[in-house]
Amino acid sequence: MPKGSEALTNARREEIIEGCARLYETVSFKEITMKEISSAISLTRASIYNYFQTKEEIFLALLKREYDREYERWTARLKKAREDHERMSREEFARELAHSLEERQQLLKLLSMNLYDLEENCRFERLVEFKVVYGRALVEVGNCLEQFFPEMTEEERQDFLYLFFPFLFGVYPYTVVTDKQRRAMDEAGISYRKQTVYEIVYGETRKLLGV
């Protein structure tokens, strides 16, 4: 780590993450390189390595930052639902959970990345930072299940969580299809029905809750 104040170090880390975020709005993960990131910010490629050892570490930091921001918005809505309703029917909760995610497209896009390879190429401490944030979301959705459906057993709540969260990783690819992907599916004879984030999350939640 280069010498300097903690504030300067954090500012430079944030600059690198933000530069990567801007690139990711227009190009894919595979197309982004350390050279591309350095061109988008004021630091050289060599300087970037003082803060992140791999581009996967930058993406994991970006995912953590966006998840932090989106988590606050997402869980604020879920917490408000718990404050406003002592109980919800399973149908009502399915609608609420779907609405809470329909405006989180950037989060869903990040989650659609190959987390297995991403996490393999990151230092352990960076991975722990991300897992802490991910764990908060598990806890809050679990809190909703416990409050709204006290009849659910602990095993049933765990089954819901460990089916619902992996499902989220595939929401973005199924709701945002490029022209190239559509043409390829047409050529392969694959039928595709466009669904919104709300529709796909609502439908899956109802199934998991047995509605």
Side-chain angles (χ1 to χ4, degrees):
M1 184 63 65
K3 295 180 180 179
S5 69
E6 182 178 352
L8 179 59
T9 296
N10 291 338
R12 286 179 173 169
R13 280 175 52 84
E14 184 61 25
E15 181 182 0
I16 295 166
I17 295 168
E18 184 58 34
C20 183
R22 290 196 301 271
L23 288 171
Y24 192 53
E25 290 176 359
T26 57
V27 297
S28 69
F29 170 75
K30 289 183 178 181
E31 295 175 287
I32 296 175
T33 63
M34 289 295 209
K35 182 179 179 181
E36 292 284 342
I37 295 171
S38 69
S39 298
I41 61 178
S42 65
L43 298 174
T44 65
R45 180 167 46 174
S47 295
I48 292 175
Y49 285 110
N50 288 322
Y51 303 92
F52 297 97
Q53 291 185 356
T54 63
K55 78 169 184 177
E56 285 83 3
E57 284 196 357
I58 301 174
F59 267 88
L60 199 64
L62 171 60
L63 181 56
K64 177 184 178 296
R65 188 191 73 172
E66 292 301 312
Y67 209 70
D68 267 327
R69 292 175 178 177
E70 295 295 299
Y71 167 80
E72 289 180 3
R73 300 178 184 126
W74 183 25
T75 57
R77 177 161 184 160
L78 295 178
K79 287 177 181 178
K80 188 174 188 307
R82 289 200 292 120
E83 292 169 358
D84 293 346
H85 304 84
E86 182 177 346
R87 294 287 294 273
M88 270 190 183
S89 70
R90 299 192 177 206
E91 174 69 28
E92 289 170 336
F93 181 66
R95 289 198 297 266
E96 180 62 31
L97 193 57
H99 279 308
S100 73
L101 282 164
E102 65 181 337
E103 295 180 355
R104 307 276 80 84
Q105 184 162 302
Q106 180 69 356
L107 171 65
L108 294 171
K109 181 180 180 182
L110 286 164
L111 287 175
S112 71
M113 294 169 57
N114 186 345
L115 284 181
Y116 183 85
D117 289 340
L118 196 66
E119 293 177 354
E120 272 298 299
N121 289 290
C122 293
R123 284 170 288 178
F124 181 74
E125 59 269 28
R126 302 299 183 210
L127 184 55
V128 171
E129 291 172 356
F130 169 70
K131 293 299 185 183
V132 167
V133 177
Y134 180 76
R136 291 176 192 158
L138 283 168
V139 169
E140 183 53 39
V141 176
N143 288 341
C144 287
L145 296 176
E146 187 172 5
Q147 176 173 321
F148 297 141
F149 316 120
E151 72 279 5
M152 290 180 76
T153 66
E154 176 63 23
E155 183 178 359
E156 288 172 333
R157 289 194 295 269
Q158 289 298 312
D159 285 345
F160 179 96
L161 294 174
Y162 287 100
L163 288 171
F164 181 76
F165 276 84
F167 152 78
L168 289 182
F169 298 154
V171 171
Y172 185 86
Y174 274 90
T175 55
V176 180
V177 177
T178 66
D179 289 340
K180 181 179 180 181
Q181 290 169 327
R182 176 64 64 81
R183 293 199 306 271
M185 285 189 288
D186 288 343
E187 187 69 22
I190 299 173
S191 175
Y192 171 73
R193 178 172 69 88
K194 182 174 176 58
Q195 289 184 287
T196 65
V197 169
Y198 175 84
E199 289 170 335
I200 196 169
V201 174
Y202 170 69
E204 183 65 17
T205 303
R206 292 180 83 252
K207 290 177 182 177
L208 291 177
L209 291 174
V211 178

